Amino acid sequence: MRDEPQDAPYRPDAAITAISDWIGDAVEPAAFPAHQLRFRNTRWDRAVGLGDLSDETWLDHFGRFVPLPDNLPRPLALRYHGHQFRNYNPEIGDGRGFLFGQLRDGNGRMLDLGTKGSGRTPYSRTADGRLTLKGAVREILATEMLEALGVYTSKTFSVVETGEELWRGDEPSPTRSAVLVRLGHSHMRIGTFQRLAVLDETDHLAQLVDYCLAQYPGPLPPADAPGHDEPAVILLHQAVERLADLAASYMVAGFVHGVLNSDNMAITGESFDYGPWRWLPRWDPTFTAAYFDHNGLYAFGRQPEAIRWNLGQLAMALRPLAEAEPLIAALARYGACYQQAMVRRFCWRLGVESREMESDTALIEQAEETMRTEGIGPDRYFHRERGLDGEPVSLLIEEVEDLWSAISERDDWEPLHAKIAAIRQLGQALGEPPVPSGHLPGENP
């Protein structure tokens, strides 16, 4: 059985205020015409001491964005750059979201409350800073399913429908609006480091490394690794382990993120920001999630390489703080870390004990061949092999569209609630996932 998130007191800790002068911009949230609570994460609100809030107080904080007690006095839109489909873009940042608060869970882990669809910021460019209700529903589903499958993911904490009509090119319009709040381990991205390096803000870059090591601690590098006691090198080693584990977790889950740009890569290895995601209908390494990914850069089978490429950009951003040799040595660990994570996660989902690398790798290869030959995806394969085929839970695009149709056509939320309940039952059946590589024991993913 999987352990439920443990109840904990409210422990505000706005540590980011120490670097807020150069890491972001204070902004004002949008004033919405309506506030209707559509989703409240009753598993995780207790884990950060907010489970006793009334729904009206909840709406004050997560719809109107009244500051939480002893927390950030104003929301902070974070600054970052990033490679988007391998093209560097310095004109990005939090364009429809902000950091709303920081707090600690019962294990002392730093968590962020960040938004999506909360209004325009200095980085919105021509966009309206809003989120469609369909986009919010899709993020609920993605995060719930990934959590059940053991992926280290942000949690959808709150969704409030906001009463506006939005026009979008990829949805029938006008469409309903919402504001979403995520609970996540960090909003520090590879692109955050890239921005500071490009702007030659070396002092700030060093401060950001120190901040991340203090707030998101992990195991130290191997004692024989070159530069193993240098902060920038330590951070890269931890990022390599964490993101290699993330790549493996996507593959074992049969999940395609769709947009693995460097601004969508958290240095904690936590998955977040769900746009055109998909689950595999069958085992196909060329399967893509984003209709605009014309060259299949982020296709299912290319995700491990895409994440490795982004880590290379982090290494280059850290170059002002460390010599090349120890950074290259840290990157060189990615392949081995990925293979170890694949074995650990595959055996966990299959419900078997890991034996030794060669035989476990052969098991994975045989499973992939079986899925290819039979034309099935990981969901069906693992359910069948683990004896869970009587009640298989999947999240293919047709199911997602049916759930949305019930809401958009009849305002019927029961199918969504039933799906969430089934997904959480799946998580219980699978049991406690392995501790993500690069994290300390006791951290609940």
Side-chain angles (χ1 to χ4, degrees), residues 59-82:
L59 288 173
D60 281 341
H61 291 307
F62 304 121
R64 302 177 184 92
F65 296 101
V66 175
L68 289 166
D70 302 316
N71 221 302
L72 286 177
R74 292 182 66 191
L76 194 65
L78 300 182
R79 306 168 184 172
Y80 47 86
H81 292 177

Side-chain angles (χ1 to χ4, degrees), residues 38-337:
R38 292 301 192 180
F39 178 77
R40 172 173 175 169
N41 197 322
T42 53
R43 295 178 72 242
W44 283 94
D45 61 359
R46 304 189 314 272
V48 291
L50 297 175
D52 291 335
L53 294 182
S54 67
D55 282 352
E56 188 56 37
T57 303
W58 186 275
L59 288 173
D60 281 341
H61 291 307
F62 304 121
R64 302 177 184 92
F65 296 101
V66 175
L68 289 166
D70 302 316
N71 221 302
L72 286 177
R74 292 182 66 191
L76 194 65
L78 300 182
R79 306 168 184 172
Y80 47 86
H81 292 177
H83 277 91
Q84 300 184 307
F85 288 85
R86 302 281 167 94
N87 296 306
Y88 195 76
N89 187 354
E91 301 297 326
I92 53 179
D94 280 342
R96 58 172 175 172
F98 47 63
L99 180 64
F100 177 62
Q102 291 184 298
L103 27 69
R104 296 193 180 271
D105 67 7
N107 292 320
R109 181 178 52 152
M110 172 65 79
L111 294 172
D112 290 353
L113 289 166
T115 65
K116 187 175 183 180
S118 50
R120 289 180 54 81
T121 78
Y123 309 103
S124 300
R125 292 175 285 176
T126 60
D128 60 12
R130 264 56 172 182
L131 172 68
T132 67
L133 181 61
K134 183 178 183 180
V137 168
R138 283 173 47 83
E139 185 142 340
I140 294 171
L141 289 167
T143 55
E144 290 284 338
M145 190 65 164
L146 287 171
E147 183 181 3
L149 296 178
V151 176
Y152 193 56
T153 178
S154 64
K155 314 300 187 290
T156 302
F157 197 65
S158 171
V159 170
V160 174
E161 188 169 358
T162 54
E164 296 179 318
E165 291 188 342
L166 303 179
W167 293 85
R168 295 291 187 266
D170 56 355
E171 287 187 36
S173 296
T175 189
R176 293 153 73 175
S177 62
V179 63
L180 179 147
V181 177
R182 296 182 181 122
L183 181 69
H185 194 16
S186 170
H187 281 78
M188 294 305 172
R189 312 157 189 255
I190 289 177
T192 314
F193 292 82
Q194 289 180 284
R195 175 184 173 273
L196 295 175
V198 165
L199 298 178
D200 293 323
E201 296 186 22
T202 305
D203 289 345
H204 290 160
L205 186 65
Q207 290 177 51
L208 183 59
V209 168
D210 291 342
Y211 173 90
C212 290
L213 291 176
Q215 302 305 330
Y216 318 116
L220 294 175
D224 59 350
H228 63 89
D229 57 352
E230 299 175 30
V233 176
I234 294 171
L235 183 74
L236 185 59
H237 273 278
Q238 292 176 355
V240 165
E241 291 189 37
R242 290 165 171 171
L243 286 163
D245 184 85
L246 176 65
S249 71
Y250 282 169
M251 302 304 286
V252 173
F255 179 72
V256 192
H257 183 281
V259 190
L260 294 178
N261 295 330
S262 64
D263 58 298
N264 286 340
M265 294 274 100
I267 55 94
T268 56
E270 183 181 51
S271 179
F272 74 108
D273 202 7
Y274 300 103
W277 55 265
R278 294 284 190 277
W279 257 270
L280 287 184
R282 62 185 182 280
W283 188 264
D284 178 6
T286 68
F287 183 87
T288 57
Y291 66 87
F292 45 83
D293 188 2
H294 303 295
N295 298 317
L297 181 63
Y298 299 141
F300 173 66
R302 298 183 68 182
Q303 292 182 122
E305 185 274 333
I307 291 174
R308 163 62 179 80
W309 192 91
N310 285 323
L311 282 164
Q313 308 314 303
L314 176 60
M316 286 191 277
L318 294 171
R319 186 64 180 82
L321 304 178
E323 296 296 326
E325 179 189 1
L327 297 174
I328 292 171
L331 277 177
R333 297 181 60 216
Y334 179 82
C337 289

